[in-house]
Amino acid sequence: MTSAESATPAATEKPTDIRVLLKDLQTRFDVFRNYSPLAIGIDKQLFAALPELSKKSIRLAMRSHTMATRYLREMEKASHRLNLDGSQAGEVTDENRQHAAELLKERFKKQAEQRKAVEAANKAEALKQQKLQQLTEKFGRK
């Protein structure tokens, strides 16, 4: 048997839908449902608790979860990180809180810029339609 034939099931399984995985984690663990700041290295706890999942799937789910606005808001005001069972696993440092605040600030700024761009495009389209209407009234058949 070659090394390729003896690949682990996690390496050959089809990718997991990350949204479904996150919903499952939120159902199973309060720390995910409440968007509590997670312990450093909590992925190892997840690998142990859910060995049927690939490391890649768990890491992608963790990335999605920890970049969620709700998680960043919780991180911004939290004092402790939590394990899967809800026990304290260390402190949230001022640096961690500052990083979360900066990510949120950047996200909200980008959203505001996108909103302004959409509003400007809508306003330009409305003005264009208004001018077309005026031209139609002026030069249209009577």
Side-chain angles (χ1 to χ4, degrees):
M1 185 180 272
T2 66
S3 62
E5 292 172 347
S6 63
T8 61
T12 58
E13 72 183 25
K14 66 179 181 134
T16 304
D17 183 347
I18 300 307
R19 289 172 291 187
V20 172
L21 177 55
L22 278 172
K23 287 289 183 194
D24 184 44
L25 292 174
Q26 290 171 349
T27 302
R28 293 179 189 223
F29 305 107
D30 285 341
V31 292
F32 279 92
R33 185 173 29 260
N34 299 331
Y35 289 84
S36 303
L38 301 173
I40 302 292
I42 201 163
D43 57 330
K44 292 169 186 62
Q45 295 175 36
L46 282 170
F47 297 146
L50 305 168
E52 70 275 8
L53 295 175
S54 71
K55 289 183 178 186
K56 183 176 181 178
S57 294
I58 290 178
R59 286 193 176 122
L60 288 171
M62 293 293 299
R63 173 77 175 158
S64 178
H65 179 75
T66 58
M67 291 304 292
T69 300
R70 188 168 166 197
Y71 181 85
L72 292 171
R73 283 188 175 162
E74 288 297 319
M75 185 65 113
E76 206 177 16
K77 61 186 177 185
S79 59
H80 290 88
R81 293 176 173 274
L82 302 176
N83 289 312
L84 283 180
D85 63 4
S87 62
Q88 288 187 3
E91 293 191 15
V92 175
T93 65
D94 289 337
E95 184 179 320
N96 297 143
R97 282 189 284 278
Q98 182 63 32
H99 180 68
E102 288 171 7
L103 288 173
L104 287 169
K105 184 178 178 181
E106 289 173 16
R107 182 173 295 167
F108 295 145
K109 181 179 176 184
K110 189 174 184 179
Q111 288 173 348
E113 289 170 356
Q114 289 173 340
R115 227 179 359 263
K116 285 181 185 177
V118 167
E119 288 171 5
N122 289 342
K123 188 174 183 179
E125 181 62 27
L127 185 59
K128 180 180 172 183
Q129 292 299 324
Q130 182 183 14
K131 286 182 179 184
L132 284 172
Q133 182 66 31
Q134 290 171 348
L135 288 172
T136 303
E137 290 172 5
K138 184 176 182 180
F139 296 109
R141 292 186 183 195
K142 293 183 183 183

